[in-house]
Amino acid sequence: MISAERFCAELDARGVGLVTGVPCGWLQGPLALLARQPGRYVPAANEGAALAIAAGAELAGQRSAVLIQNSGFGNLINPLTSLIDTFAVPVIIFMTLRGWPRPEDDEPQHSLTGPATEPLLSQLGVGHQVLASGDDGLAQAWEAADRARAGRRPYAVLVPRGRIGRVEEPQPDDDPSGGGYDRGQAIEDLVPWLRGSAVFATTGRTSRELFTRADSPAHFYMLGSMGHALALGLGAAISRPDRRIVVLDGDGALVMHLGTALTVGAQAPANLIHIVLDNQTYDSTGGQPVPGPADWRSLGHAAGYRGVHLASSPAGTARAMATATDEPGPRLVVLRVTGSGRRPTRHPLAAHGAGDLAARFHTALEGAAAGSRTRPGEPEVSMVSRPLPHDHTTPATPATPDPDTLRREVLKTVAELLADEGRPVEVHDDDVLADLALDSIALMFVLTHFERRYDVAFDNDTLRPDRYVTVGDLAAFVAEQVSTRG
């Protein structure tokens, strides 16, 4: 094995000043060390952009290197053939070999690219070699790359699993997402709002977490094809205006092909809801930073979405989804999350083959009755756009807590709601609802939380703010209803 420190030392020895790429877990070590040098590593939106960034540095007189995985080889081909080859720009590419040498030992989305990587490079006339183990292997690769450079040609070094070492990274003191909540919990909170929708879930842990918590034939788990979940959803939304289409995306995946968001805005499908889980990292590959947008609200409006909704708590998620499902789309819902506190325990392919997943999704959409909504995108709900429990994932109802615990939970839920509205305050029993501007819509989110958690039902009359004067009055009502359930 080549240590990450030795790999980075060789970059320095060869005069490489700028490194760019898209993360791969097999390159975690070098990426972690490069990140400790401000300005040394530039995270690119996709592999083609990384190659162009490196080419720009080379044209400006700075030697550069690209670090990627072969699952993104397709993104590389256009600039590799029409930019690098045409203008004779020498760039060294370190590309991990997913799906090689035995495709069956990796995930199915790598089964074609793994064996095809070397033949494709040969067909394109790009010199390459598989990185041999040890420092001698690294030196041999660089010597071959230097010879290609002398002839103004690119060179690819193919990195098998475990060939380059990892490094321990310190755990950050602060939440990198700037105030989010657990991603797994966020997905769990979304589940009731997905009922009756066709859902496209992005690649990585997001798909696995949704599958673990709420598998459904109407869920398509997009394994691989990073960045294309939104395009899948757009095609489905245009083709099936009678169905609500939900795309469950990640910030890194969306950024990879951000232009699709502009196409969504231009087509303006009323039945499309685009949910982005924003943790500002590539969580599946080691937590490297995403070159993501700093202002989702501005980006969504500029792209042409009819509404942009931000949330970072269960109450905020309910509020955002209630609005998104009650109004015509396209709607962008961004949930600020952290990494999940528990890893997903199930994989979609553990129970279904990839082809079977696609077939059952197609059958689910074909079998759905058209015209069940009053307008495209309107949800199937019980009262005031409230979500219905998911048939297969309704959690066991917890034991009834004591009234004081329920009171504190009401106060906490109200505080989370206000925080998501940009009004972080400490909530007390004697706070007046009118002073906090808690209207019937706000009450709906609070009461929905307790409906779902404790299996109780509130009628429309409970949403009248004039029923309660203070937060304490609301808490007392909830405690009474939960205590007498059943």
Side-chain angles (χ1 to χ4, degrees):
M1 179 182 291
I2 301 163
S3 73
E5 291 80 4
R6 180 72 186 87
F7 182 89
C8 290
E10 196 66 27
L11 290 174
D12 293 336
R14 301 286 172 168
V16 175
L18 183 144
V19 182
T20 183
V22 178
C24 176
W26 297 3
L27 297 171
Q28 178 272 342
L31 291 172
L33 295 178
L34 290 167
R36 299 173 189 176
Q37 307 173 47
R40 185 73 186 282
Y41 175 72
V42 178
N46 58 58
E47 293 79 6
L51 187 57
I53 290 169
E58 291 281 357
L59 290 171
Q62 176 66 71
R63 191 170 192 182
S64 61
V66 174
L67 275 59
I68 59 172
Q69 63 175 284
N70 65 340
S71 59
F73 194 179
N75 291 329
L76 204 70
I77 290 177
N78 177 264
L80 189 60
T81 56
S82 61
L83 172 64
I84 300 299
D85 181 77
T86 302
F87 294 97
V89 182
V91 174
I92 185 169
I93 303 164
F94 290 91
M95 181 159 54
T96 57
L97 270 175
R98 300 297 304 265
W100 183 94
R102 287 169 46 86
E104 60 270 25
D105 291 340
D106 211 327
E107 296 200 24
Q109 63 266 31
H110 304 299
S111 61
L112 181 60
T113 306
T117 297
E118 288 194 85
L120 279 171
L121 287 168
S122 297
Q123 186 70 25
L124 296 172
V126 177
H128 59 277
Q129 65 175 277
V130 175
L131 179 62
S133 60
D135 292 351
D136 288 345
L138 183 61
Q140 292 168 8
W142 273 105
E143 288 167 6
D146 284 343
R147 290 193 295 271
R149 184 177 183 82
R152 302 197 61 77
R153 299 291 301 164
Y155 196 80
V157 180
L158 306 177
V159 183
R161 182 199 299 267
R163 196 55 47 94
I164 298 176
R166 299 175 63 87
V167 298
E168 292 295 325
E169 295 187 81
Q171 295 298 315
D173 295 329
D174 300 320
D175 167 20
S177 67
Y181 70 115
D182 182 89
R183 182 186 63 234
Q185 180 62 53
I187 292 175
E188 205 158 283
D189 293 336
L190 286 168
V191 165
W193 299 96
L194 303 181
R195 185 177 184 274
S197 301
V199 181
F200 292 90
T202 190
T203 190
R205 290 182 185 166
T206 298
S207 274
R208 278 173 270 177
E209 283 183 310
L210 179 61
F211 181 77
T212 296
R213 288 166 171 80
D215 181 32
S216 166
H219 294 175
F220 184 84
Y221 307 102
M222 194 191 75
L223 307 172
S225 304
M226 183 172 172
H228 290 299
L230 181 58
L232 275 172
L234 175 59
I238 293 170
S239 301
R240 289 296 302 268
D242 60 301
R243 293 298 304 271
R244 179 192 295 148
I245 306 297
V246 175
V247 175
L248 186 57
D249 218 344
D251 55 333
L254 174 59
V255 166
M256 181 166 280
H257 294 291
L258 190 57
T260 303
L262 298 176
T263 309
V264 168
Q267 294 297 314
N271 56 330
L272 179 64
I273 299 175
H274 183 196
I275 303 170
V276 177
L277 301 174
D278 175 22
N279 64 356
Q280 298 182 14
T281 64
Y282 294 104
D283 192 36
S284 297
T285 61
Q288 298 87 3
V290 168
D295 186 349
W296 286 104
R297 195 178 298 278
S298 296
L299 179 112
H301 287 305
Y305 286 84
R306 285 195 175 105
V308 181
H309 316 278
L310 310 180
S312 57
S313 72
T317 298
R319 189 178 185 87
M321 289 303 297
T323 304
T325 55
D326 197 46
E327 299 291 337
R331 297 267 158 182
L332 176 63
V333 177
V334 180
L335 306 185
R336 297 188 178 95
V337 300
T338 64
S340 182
R342 52 181 173 142
R343 288 181 177 270
T345 56
R346 302 176 66 207
H347 193 292
L349 296 182
H352 309 281
D356 293 336
L357 282 170
R360 71 171 193 158
F361 179 84
H362 176 76
T363 300
L365 264 66
E366 283 297 301
S372 61
R373 295 175 178 80
T374 57
R375 67 169 183 270
E378 187 169 342
E380 295 174 351
V381 295
S382 54
M383 63 173 244
V384 199
S385 299
R386 183 169 298 157
L388 294 172
H390 193 281
D391 293 339
H392 305 294
T393 60
T394 302
T397 303
T400 303
D402 61 84
D404 193 52
T405 299
L406 281 168
R407 180 190 63 80
R408 290 195 300 270
E409 190 172 347
V410 171
L411 267 60
K412 178 184 176 184
T413 305
V414 171
E416 288 177 345
L417 177 62
L418 295 173
D420 274 311
E421 293 179 340
R423 299 186 286 151
V425 296
E426 188 174 340
V427 177
H428 303 282
D429 286 293
D430 57 357
D431 288 336
V432 177
L433 265 65
D435 292 344
L436 297 175
L438 293 180
D439 55 15
S440 60
I441 298 298
L443 288 177
M444 181 192 72
F445 302 119
V446 175
L447 296 177
T448 296
H449 168 82
F450 291 92
E451 278 196 327
R452 291 172 51 204
R453 182 165 174 77
Y454 297 109
D455 192 24
V456 294
F458 301 108
D459 58 37
N460 288 332
D461 189 54
T462 63
L463 301 180
R464 289 180 19 235
D466 57 8
R467 283 190 55 142
Y468 324 95
V469 176
T470 67
V471 177
D473 295 336
L474 175 64
F477 169 75
V478 170
E480 177 187 2
Q481 295 297 307
V482 173
S483 298
T484 59
R485 68 185 181 185

